[in-house]
Amino acid sequence: MAKKVVEYYPMLQDNDASVKHESINAKLQKRLQNMKTPVKRQGPTPERGRPKRRLTDLSPRDEEADDEDADRSSSSGASTLLSPVRNSDDASTSSDKDSRQIQARHYKTLQEMCKKAKPNQEDVSQLLDLEFEARRSFIDSDTMKEENRARLILDAYPCFKELHHALGELRRILDPHNKFISQIKLRWEEFCSRVEFYGVSKKAMNPPMTMDKTEAHLALMKALPTLFPTPAHPPKKMGNASEAFLHVLKPTEDPDAVLQKRSLSCPVVMFDGCKCVIAVGNLPVTTFDKEKLGEAMIYVMAYFYALHLTYPKCVATLLSVIQTEVLQDAIHEHDTTSSYRKALAEWHAFIGK
């Protein structure tokens, strides 16, 4: 019973204890073992007539029996909350079924919460934590086509239109127990500072000293596919491979028209000089300030992971390098390509690793 209570109401569980239902179990035991016959309060004039027995009253014999049971259970260490003995297979099947039912209930609560004008973001994050297993089974399945994946997932989980929830999902997937996002940002900052020197040495970038911060961030992002190249060419109408994840809008361009022409279904950052928009395929998702343009590639990677999207071939080497060097998420040896191994070897030789 105590286990079920903390599963249904996770806010009652013990955060610091190894057994999450220990406090609830103790309170239930105490309540059961200290049950007393309720006595109706008498006023200045006692109640006349024969006392009426209430449903909650216990006879003296019942009280004695309960006291004996309580003494026996406390002396023997037995628990009155033990569930019936079941074989391991039945217990496992029942546990899986209960878990699916609980996660379905969490999803329903999450949907109702997201319909509010201003949902409590901490509560949303907690429900996303609780419903993680079922959600990843749905998102990672192969039942959705790549071009429809983002729309279907965002319809089911509109909370991922908030950038911090997409970053939270990246944390849950890679390292749910640490302050992972702050560590990623530090590693990305260090990676970029080295890439600037790497780009200048490869003559793929100009020295950033003559640029402002925004120009330097854009120049670095545009140079990344050249520094970590892939044999596959980008689609003809796209031009530079960096257009797979970054598009700087011209004053005469209409953002919606640009998105509709995109042939790739991956996350892209669109920048108009004042504000940044993240879109997936031709679906606008969220916005962020240009002051955070330096973190744009982290946001792009967060949506690749949250929506379980495939890397475009024209920037697969670059994104794989970011995955292993910045996110520190290993790639299986069978999935590594010769271009990735070559680019990584040259990078490690440059930084002396």
Side-chain angles (χ1 to χ4, degrees), residues 59-330:
S59 66
R61 179 178 293 182
D62 293 336
E63 289 183 74
E64 290 172 7
D66 288 343
D67 291 340
E68 289 175 5
D69 290 341
D71 293 340
R72 193 181 302 114
S73 65
S74 60
S75 62
S76 62
S79 171
T80 57
L81 301 178
L82 291 177
S83 58
V85 178
R86 297 180 294 187
N87 62 55
S88 58
D89 293 338
D90 289 344
S92 176
T93 304
S94 176
S95 176
D96 291 343
K97 184 179 178 181
D98 289 345
S99 178
R100 288 195 298 270
Q101 290 174 344
I102 292 168
Q103 294 204 19
R105 190 158 43 246
H106 290 324
Y107 175 71
K108 185 177 179 181
T109 306
L110 178 65
Q111 289 294 90
E112 292 172 354
M113 194 173 292
C114 289
K115 290 176 183 177
K116 297 179 181 178
K118 292 183 178 180
N120 186 309
Q121 299 302 334
E122 290 184 3
D123 291 347
V124 172
S125 294
Q126 185 183 21
L127 286 167
L128 287 171
D129 288 338
L130 295 169
E131 197 255 348
F132 177 75
E133 248 180 79
R135 180 171 67 257
R136 294 321 303 179
S137 296
F138 162 66
I139 292 175
D140 297 346
S141 66
D142 297 327
T143 57
M144 293 177 279
K145 293 182 179 179
E146 190 75 9
E147 59 270 21
N148 298 329
R149 180 179 292 274
R151 179 179 56 80
L152 293 173
I153 295 172
L154 291 173
D155 285 346
Y157 293 94
C159 51
F160 286 145
K161 293 180 181 179
E162 300 286 343
L163 191 53
H164 61 278
H165 285 312
L167 291 170
E169 190 74 351
L170 176 65
R171 173 190 60 78
R172 291 182 196 95
I173 294 169
L174 294 181
D175 193 354
H177 303 297
N178 296 322
K179 295 180 179 179
F180 187 60
I181 300 304
S182 58
Q183 294 173 4
I184 286 178
K185 290 180 179 180
L186 289 174
R187 287 199 294 268
W188 173 249
E189 189 177 343
E190 183 182 358
F191 179 79
C192 289
S193 64
R194 292 178 172 181
V195 164
E196 287 177 347
F197 289 102
Y198 189 50
V200 172
S201 70
K202 290 265 190 178
K203 297 183 180 180
M205 291 176 60
N206 294 322
M209 287 81 74
T210 58
M211 309 177 192
D212 62 28
K213 284 187 177 181
T214 301
E215 291 173 338
H217 292 322
L218 291 173
L220 184 141
M221 291 175 72
K222 289 178 180 179
L224 283 173
T226 306
L227 298 174
F228 304 98
T230 302
H233 297 288
K236 290 182 180 180
K237 294 182 180 180
M238 186 171 288
N240 195 304
S242 64
E243 288 284 328
F245 54 81
L246 172 68
H247 181 81
V248 180
L249 289 165
K250 298 174 184 177
T252 56
E253 281 185 318
D254 177 36
D256 293 331
V258 171
L259 282 178
Q260 293 306 316
K261 291 178 182 177
R262 280 184 63 82
S263 57
L264 297 177
S265 303
C266 62
V268 60
V269 175
M270 302 183 69
F271 180 59
D272 64 359
C274 300
K275 187 175 64 176
C276 302
V277 176
I278 291 184
V280 181
N282 43 33
L283 179 68
V285 177
T286 190
T287 62
F288 61 95
D289 297 331
K290 74 173 185 177
E291 286 75 20
K292 294 185 178 180
L293 186 61
E295 299 176 354
M297 287 306 296
I298 298 176
Y299 305 156
V300 167
M301 294 300 292
Y303 277 101
F304 268 113
Y305 274 74
L307 305 181
H308 194 64
L309 299 170
T310 305
Y311 294 159
K313 291 181 180 180
C314 59
V315 288
T317 297
L318 165 64
L319 299 179
S320 297
V321 169
I322 294 175
Q323 176 181 330
T324 53
E325 297 297 291
V326 179
L327 304 186
Q328 295 186 351
D329 182 22

